[in-house]
């Protein structure tokens, strides 16, 4: 991140950050900052909400209005903030376990309501902060401290989950595909409705070591070699999609936004 943006948007006294060497979360935090800067948002009108987990440390480093909430409840807190002041740009930074396990119900109902939040998932396929337990996005067969012989669950596709629940904008980014990730975060923030960007991070410490994924560089190269831009992905033959994943904007609909509809009820009750 350019030094002037660090001074502008980061809490300097809290740096350097404490994520493990090679962790993808710092890159994704950079992408969030770059998207905010490109859009020219006023810092006083941006609220960053996080829950508990490796990803949620970002709220402590970013110098906006920030709130570090309880495990799985980031979207619930963000919903309250957005309803109290719809003029604020409320951005949730959360992890795969935080938003799709303990926080899963909050995710699907915020998506169903289409409330104007931007949820950015730092998805590293593992519970990195609490010891490497497998999460709802750990691929089938991969190991965690709570799945020493391999995970037998099928993983969530968080972007598809959100879209199925009613999110009007979903996208996928990665720690490797920086420019594409910045672009979809920008689009998600600008979108008037519930936006979710599922960002594939990397965890070389717990997920990488446990599953023999090599170094952090090797894990980044895997994202490079298996992530396919959306236009090219949907033009590929089905057999060529095996082992690949799509990067870019996935769904974009114009459902009514919740706080706008809520204001109409308030105005009607007040006789406006």
């Amino acid at each position: 991140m350019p030094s002037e943006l660090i001074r502008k948007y980061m809490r300097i006294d809290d740096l350097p950050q404490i994520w493990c060497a090679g962790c993808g979360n710092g890159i994704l935090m950079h992408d969030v900052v770059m998207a905010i800067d490109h859009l020219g948002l006023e810092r006083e009108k941006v609220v960053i909400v996080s829950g508990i987990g490796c990803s949620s440390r970002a709220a402590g480093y970013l110098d906006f209005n920030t709130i570090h909430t309880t495990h799985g409840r980031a979207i619930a807190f963000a919903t309250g903030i957005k309803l109290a002041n719809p003029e604020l740009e409320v951005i949730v930074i959360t992890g795969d376990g935080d938003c799709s396990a303990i926080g899963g119900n909050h995710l699907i109902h915020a998506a169903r309501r289409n409330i104007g939040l931007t949820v950015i998932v730092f998805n590293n396929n593992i519970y990195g902060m609490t010891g490497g337990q497998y999460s709802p996005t750990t691929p089938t067969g991969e190991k965690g401290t709570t799945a020493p012989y391999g995970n037998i669950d099928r993983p969530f596709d968080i972007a598809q989950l959100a879209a199925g629940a009613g999110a009007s904008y979903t996208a996928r980014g990665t720690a490797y595909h920086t420019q594409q990730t910045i672009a979809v975060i920008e689009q998600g923030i600008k979108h008037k409705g519930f936006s979710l960007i599922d960002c594939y991070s990397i965890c070389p410490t717990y997920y990488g070591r446990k599953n023999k994924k090599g170094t952090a560089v090797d894990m980044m190269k895997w994202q490079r070699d298996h992530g396919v831009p959306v236009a090219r992905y949907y033009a590929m033959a089905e057999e060529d999609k095996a082992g690949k994943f799509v990067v870019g904007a996935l769904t974009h609909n114009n459902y009514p936004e919740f706080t706008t509809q809520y204001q109409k009820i308030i105005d009607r009750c007040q006789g406006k």
Side-chain angles (χ1 to χ4, degrees):
M1 188 185 303
S3 58
E4 64 272 16
L5 293 188
I6 293 174
R7 289 191 294 271
K8 183 177 181 181
Y9 294 118
M10 306 291 289
R11 294 187 170 110
I12 304 297
D13 292 344
D14 291 329
L15 299 176
Q17 46 85 2
I18 62 169
W19 287 312
C20 300
C23 175
N25 289 355
I27 298 172
L28 297 177
M29 183 173 67
H30 156 272
D31 296 346
V32 174
V33 167
M34 294 300 293
I36 290 171
D37 190 67
H38 288 173
L39 293 171
L41 302 180
E42 298 178 43
R43 284 178 52 250
E44 294 75 15
K45 293 185 177 180
V46 175
V47 182
I48 305 290
V49 184
S50 69
I52 298 296
C54 296
S55 62
S56 299
R57 292 295 307 167
Y61 301 130
L62 296 171
D63 192 13
F64 298 91
N65 302 296
T66 59
I67 178 170
H68 191 178
T69 75
T70 48
H71 196 197
R73 313 304 177 212
I75 292 174
F77 278 83
T79 296
I81 293 166
K82 187 68 176 179
L83 277 170
N85 189 348
E87 299 303 313
L88 294 172
E89 200 64 66
V90 183
I91 299 170
V92 177
I93 296 179
T94 184
D96 45 301
D98 192 43
C99 80
S100 66
I102 188 171
N105 229 31
H106 297 302
L107 169 63
I108 62 174
H109 290 292
R112 176 179 65 86
R113 293 184 177 107
N114 196 38
I115 189 164
L117 308 174
T118 304
V119 176
I120 302 166
V121 184
F122 288 14
N123 183 352
N124 59 8
N125 304 122
I126 204 81
Y127 281 97
M129 189 188 75
T130 54
Q133 300 92 335
Y134 76 96
S135 85
T137 64
T138 303
T140 305
E142 300 283 65
K143 296 178 179 178
T145 54
T146 48
Y149 303 107
N151 169 35
I152 62 172
D153 291 350
R154 289 183 298 147
F156 272 145
D157 181 322
I158 294 180
Q160 283 190 352
L161 173 66
S168 51
Y169 179 87
T170 63
R172 178 166 297 112
T174 78
Y176 177 83
H177 299 86
T178 302
Q179 295 306 313
Q180 295 95 322
T181 303
I182 294 170
V184 293
I185 293 173
E186 286 184 41
Q187 292 169 19
I189 294 172
K190 288 191 295 184
H191 177 71
K192 300 304 180 185
F194 187 86
S195 301
L196 181 137
I197 300 93
D198 184 15
C199 296
Y200 286 178
S201 187
I202 58 172
C203 176
T205 300
Y206 275 115
Y207 180 71
R209 288 177 184 172
K210 181 70 74 173
N211 291 286
K212 297 180 170 50
K213 300 296 183 182
T215 66
V217 173
D218 293 327
M219 296 178 75
M220 291 282 280
K221 287 179 177 178
W222 185 91
Q223 291 188 347
R224 177 196 66 189
D225 296 339
H226 293 80
V228 181
V230 63
R232 183 155 60 89
Y233 182 85
Y234 289 115
M236 293 168 62
E238 286 301 316
E239 59 269 22
D240 294 332
K241 294 179 182 179
K244 306 291 185 182
F245 63 89
V246 61
V247 177
L250 303 175
T251 57
H252 194 169
N253 298 294
N254 291 312
Y255 306 140
E257 194 273 327
F258 187 81
T259 60
T260 303
Q261 299 302 107
Y262 194 68
Q263 186 61 47
K264 290 179 181 178
I265 295 176
I266 295 172
D267 292 343
R268 191 163 69 243
C269 291
Q270 295 177 340
K272 293 182 180 179

